[in-house]
Amino acid sequence: MHSVKVHTFEGPLDLLLQLIEQEELDISQVALAHVTEQYLQALEKSDNISAEDLADFLVVAAKLLLIKSRILLPQLAVEGAEEASDLERQLKIFKEYLDASRGIAKIIHKRRFTFGRGKPAVMIEEKFSPPEGLEMGTMRELFLAVLRDIEPVIALPKAVIEKTVSISEKIEAIRALILDKALISFKSIMEDAKTKTDVIVSFLALLELVKQRSIVVKQGALFTDIAIHRLDSPSET
Amino acid sequence: MLEQKIEALLFLAGRPLSVKKLCDLTDAKKADVEKAAEALVTQYESRTSGVLIQKASDSYHMVTHPDVRSLAQAYAKEEVSGELTKPSLEALTIIAYRGPVTKAELEQIRGVNCSLILRNLLIRGLVEAKYDKPRATTVYDVTHDFVRFLGLAKVDELPDYIKLHDHATLEKLLNPDAQAQQENLPAV
Amino acid sequence: MLEQKIEALLFLAGRPLSVKKLCDLTDAKKADVEKAAEALVTQYESRTSGVLIQKASDSYHMVTHPDVRSLAQAYAKEEVSGELTKPSLEALTIIAYRGPVTKAELEQIRGVNCSLILRNLLIRGLVEAKYDKPRATTVYDVTHDFVRFLGLAKVDELPDYIKLHDHATLEKLLNPDAQAQQENLPAV
């Protein structure tokens, strides 16, 4: 595998697009599957991804893994089709606006700025005109409301970090589960999944573990359940 | 006559005036105000004037012409920084072409959370938020300050505006086959 | 081109500019400036415009057309005495409780650009701007007139003033680094 050379990237789609363009591919599901490893590599290597953005990078990582698994194990893909074409379309639209933003940068670069007067023409004189009926109690209420509106802004990075943490926790949970049972099926993991996101997160976690070589994923025959083996457990093969 | 009134008001105010404000002040119907204001925009563009009328979302603003930028900047003593980070520019581009746009739509296109970027753009006055009653949600649009950066009379003078403004048009361009199938059109 | 420049300057000024001043600003000869200005006067007269350029002794002034005088007066009245919008009231409240406050701080707190709101509050005499030497920036405070209007002798008599003036939420927002350091201290 050749090493990944990407410029600084601003978001998951930006990174993805750079990888695909570097390979001189058009945006397609095959191209997405092709750069999946490089995407994960870049993610691991990068130290400029803010905590706020990490969750978004991981969501795209999960979608990529789904696409890749669909191509490698077509029988696995029950729901993945939609996710896969979604990401492809999303990336194509993103590219359109990215190109447009370069056009806008060019226009701004021409510095054809215009200026307003910023204040009324001379005929308007300053005149004390208080807001009728404004009371101190109302002002206190208004101020408290402003403080309440600020709360989510301050909490913002924290909320995103919590979202990110839940993905790594899921990975830990699956690892613990496997250590406990040594052999469980993919299906039983999926049984706990309540939402589509849960399925994606579980799958991401599973593939992450495969990548870390903690487990081996085996499939007895086509269309059967996938068995997950802990690497240090005696396996039937 | 309505044109004259609107011109006088825009001159006096020196700030952007919304169509609603113009309706209230001139006691005219929305459609008539819009027609007259658009005629003014065109009229100022067509003569070689030192002044321009710019449109952003639903308001109009009388400003100096881009041709006299350095003189106007010196007189207005306004510092303009054209510097925008890449993410800010990306977000602005999407809002300029797609506005009025919701935060969810913006994030869908960019693939990342845009809360902080939106807040920065709002604070810089490049983007404004409005409550969209029918959709019961907040929508974002570019402001006159952003249009002043571009030196255009209207946002829809941006390159490829029609193509990138409309979601359906864009989808069709990107996925001609899927669209054709959906619409049961004979595949070309 | 000189015409364009003079037109832009007269618009930006909103008050009479002398020929001498126009010469200085445009770096042009007196005879040329006068010729261009006269051409502008004629041009504005010839089209039915809401705006005119008037000549008085040796200065030029862009003004609204006499035909729309009553409208112009209505606008001026509206600017200073129309009802305050909710965003304006919020800004006024923040300035009252938190003042003296900079425009940047006000915008961080409100999460939107406050240029137009501040302009309106200044015109109405509710807020005043002062230059803060140590901070080398302009700060805003409510006026004595406004404090008296509330029936107070001093602004710190507002309900819960002490508690709200430097509420922890505000400190976290405006001084995040100081906060982060404090929070990190025990952990290290």
Side-chain angles (χ1 to χ4, degrees):
Chain A
M1 155 95 38
H2 53 267
S3 70
V4 192
K5 279 191 219 111
V6 283
H7 303 288
T8 53
F9 45 88
E10 309 295 350
L13 299 181
D14 192 27
L15 170 59
L16 213 43
L17 199 60
Q18 281 189 41
L19 291 171
I20 288 179
E21 282 174 354
Q22 192 176 289
E23 297 284 312
E24 293 176 10
L25 297 169
D26 291 329
I27 300 169
S28 68
Q29 293 186 34
V30 175
L32 287 171
H34 186 78
V35 299
T36 298
E37 274 305 312
Q38 298 169 36
Y39 178 90
L40 294 173
Q41 234 184 60
L43 217 57
E44 265 171 42
K45 273 204 238 159
S46 176
D47 43 15
N48 72 348
I49 298 176
S50 67
E52 292 94 74
D53 289 346
L54 191 57
D56 298 314
F57 277 96
L58 289 176
V59 166
V60 168
K63 287 182 184 171
L64 281 174
L65 289 165
L66 258 173
I67 292 172
K68 182 140 188 137
S69 70
R70 261 172 58 81
I71 288 173
L72 296 178
L73 307 161
Q75 66 279 8
L76 224 173
V78 199
E79 284 201 60
E82 207 183 300
E83 300 280 345
S85 59
D86 268 0
L87 185 61
E88 185 189 341
R89 193 167 61 237
Q90 200 185 357
L91 195 58
K92 281 181 178 168
I93 291 176
F94 173 74
K95 187 182 181 323
E96 291 287 332
Y97 288 104
L98 188 67
D99 291 345
S101 80
R102 293 186 183 123
I104 287 191
K106 265 187 208 146
I107 297 174
I108 294 176
H109 190 69
K110 287 186 195 151
R111 303 180 69 81
R112 291 183 55 78
F113 303 147
T114 65
F115 296 85
R117 192 188 313 117
K119 54 184 183 218
V122 74
M123 60 168 289
I124 296 174
E125 297 291 328
E126 278 186 28
K127 175 177 163 249
F128 180 64
S129 50
E132 293 304 331
L134 179 68
E135 287 167 13
M136 288 185 289
T138 318
M139 289 180 70
R140 185 177 164 279
E141 289 310 312
L142 275 174
F143 197 80
L144 289 172
V146 167
L147 290 178
R148 275 197 298 277
D149 286 347
I150 298 173
E151 289 292 346
V153 178
I154 301 172
L156 189 68
K158 208 174 142 201
V160 186
I161 290 166
E162 274 165 15
K163 186 174 147 203
T164 311
V165 167
S166 74
I167 296 180
S168 5
E169 271 174 0
K170 195 90 183 178
I171 295 178
E172 273 314 303
I174 294 182
R175 192 201 299 274
L177 199 64
I178 293 166
L179 289 175
D180 193 35
K181 292 190 178 168
L183 175 67
I184 52 157
S185 73
F186 187 62
K187 216 161 132 191
S188 78
I189 293 178
M190 289 303 172
E191 269 165 14
D192 287 342
K194 290 183 185 65
T195 64
K196 202 189 242 175
T197 323
D198 269 358
V199 178
I200 296 170
V201 168
S202 302
F203 197 78
L204 169 67
L206 186 68
L207 284 157
E208 178 65 24
L209 288 169
V210 174
K211 206 171 131 235
Q212 290 171 6
R213 305 210 176 280
S214 318
I215 55 169
V216 170
V217 178
K218 292 191 65 174
Q219 205 170 19
L222 280 179
F223 306 115
T224 62
D225 202 5
I226 302 174
I228 300 170
H229 300 257
R230 219 172 91 188
L231 264 189
D232 54 4
S233 71
S235 90
E236 62 255 65
T237 37
Chain B
M1 188 54 192
L2 184 56
E3 258 179 65
Q4 246 190 307
K5 285 182 179 173
I6 293 172
E7 190 179 6
L9 286 169
L10 292 176
F11 162 72
L12 269 182
R15 65 172 167 100
L17 292 179
S18 67
V19 171
K20 191 181 169 301
K21 190 99 187 166
L22 289 170
C23 288
D24 290 350
L25 286 164
T26 57
D27 205 13
K29 277 185 211 139
K30 190 172 173 233
D32 295 335
V33 165
E34 277 171 342
K35 206 179 139 205
E38 290 299 323
L40 270 177
V41 171
T42 317
Q43 194 217 105
Y44 270 80
E45 258 188 316
S46 67
R47 66 189 172 94
T48 319
S49 165
V51 178
L52 200 67
I53 292 173
Q54 283 180 326
K55 184 188 181 187
S57 60
D58 68 340
S59 60
Y60 294 87
H61 189 195
M62 193 181 273
V63 294
T64 60
H65 197 282
D67 286 354
V68 295
R69 175 190 63 91
S70 43
L71 179 73
Q73 181 164 11
Y75 187 82
K77 293 198 182 71
E78 189 185 334
E79 289 293 322
V80 217
S81 136
E83 305 278 315
L84 286 167
T85 62
K86 201 172 157 234
S88 299
L89 189 63
E90 256 176 54
L92 264 175
T93 303
I94 295 163
I95 297 168
Y97 279 99
R98 290 294 282 266
V101 68
T102 64
K103 180 163 170 282
E105 283 166 341
L106 177 64
E107 291 179 338
Q108 167 70 23
I109 294 175
R110 289 202 65 231
V112 273
N113 186 292
C114 295
S115 304
L116 286 176
I117 280 195
L118 267 179
R119 197 177 145 84
N120 284 333
L121 292 174
L122 285 165
I123 287 175
R124 280 188 73 175
L126 298 172
V127 162
E128 64 189 353
K130 268 179 287 190
Y131 187 74
D132 183 350
K133 254 190 196 159
R135 295 166 81 181
T137 182
T138 304
V139 291
Y140 299 87
D141 230 327
V142 287
T143 62
H144 281 278
D145 273 350
F146 176 66
V147 178
R148 293 207 299 110
F149 256 24
L150 299 175
L152 302 175
K154 288 186 278 185
V155 176
D156 59 15
E157 288 172 8
L158 281 172
D160 286 333
Y161 183 82
I162 304 281
K163 176 182 149 195
L164 294 172
H165 175 63
D166 185 47
H167 187 69
T169 317
L170 188 59
E171 287 271 317
K172 209 175 272 183
L173 275 167
L174 294 175
N175 262 330
D177 301 344
Q179 285 286 331
Q181 274 163 19
Q182 269 178 25
E183 288 163 18
N184 284 328
L185 294 173
V188 185
Chain C
M1 188 58 192
L2 185 57
E3 258 178 65
Q4 253 190 305
K5 285 183 179 172
I6 293 173
E7 192 179 4
L9 287 170
L10 291 176
F11 160 70
L12 279 181
R15 60 183 172 83
L17 288 181
S18 67
V19 172
K20 190 181 172 306
K21 181 94 183 163
L22 288 170
C23 289
D24 290 349
L25 289 166
T26 57
D27 206 12
K29 281 185 209 135
K30 193 176 172 222
D32 294 336
V33 166
E34 278 172 341
K35 203 178 143 204
E38 287 304 323
L40 273 176
V41 172
T42 317
Q43 193 218 106
Y44 270 78
E45 264 170 15
S46 68
R47 63 188 177 95
T48 319
S49 165
V51 179
L52 278 181
I53 293 174
Q54 273 179 353
K55 187 186 178 183
S57 61
D58 70 337
S59 66
Y60 292 88
H61 188 190
M62 194 181 270
V63 294
T64 53
H65 197 285
D67 285 357
V68 292
R69 180 175 295 141
S70 58
L71 180 73
Q73 279 162 354
Y75 170 74
K77 191 161 172 260
E78 161 85 16
E79 266 289 338
V80 291
S81 55
E83 229 175 274
L84 276 188
T85 60
K86 185 157 179 276
S88 297
L89 279 176
E90 273 175 23
L92 180 62
T93 302
I94 293 165
I95 296 168
Y97 272 102
R98 180 71 186 182
V101 70
T102 67
K103 178 164 173 280
E105 285 168 342
L106 180 63
E107 288 173 341
Q108 276 300 324
I109 295 170
R110 294 257 302 105
V112 291
N113 188 274
C114 293
S115 304
L116 288 175
I117 287 173
L118 275 175
R119 165 187 125 135
N120 188 245
L121 295 175
L122 287 165
I123 291 176
R124 288 162 168 262
L126 302 172
V127 160
E128 60 191 357
K130 272 178 284 190
Y131 187 73
D132 183 344
K133 252 192 190 161
R135 296 171 78 180
T137 183
T138 305
V139 291
Y140 297 87
D141 238 328
V142 285
T143 58
H144 292 298
D145 282 346
F146 180 65
V147 175
R148 260 201 305 271
F149 164 78
L150 292 173
L152 304 174
K154 281 195 290 180
V155 76
D156 60 14
E157 291 167 14
L158 278 169
D160 286 337
Y161 180 86
I162 307 273
K163 196 174 118 201
L164 298 179
H165 176 68
D166 39 28
H167 195 276
T169 305
L170 288 181
E171 299 303 323
K172 251 184 225 169
L173 181 79
L174 298 175
N175 301 308
D177 295 341
Q179 286 287 322
Q181 275 165 18
Q182 272 177 23
E183 277 169 21
N184 281 339
L185 275 182
V188 181

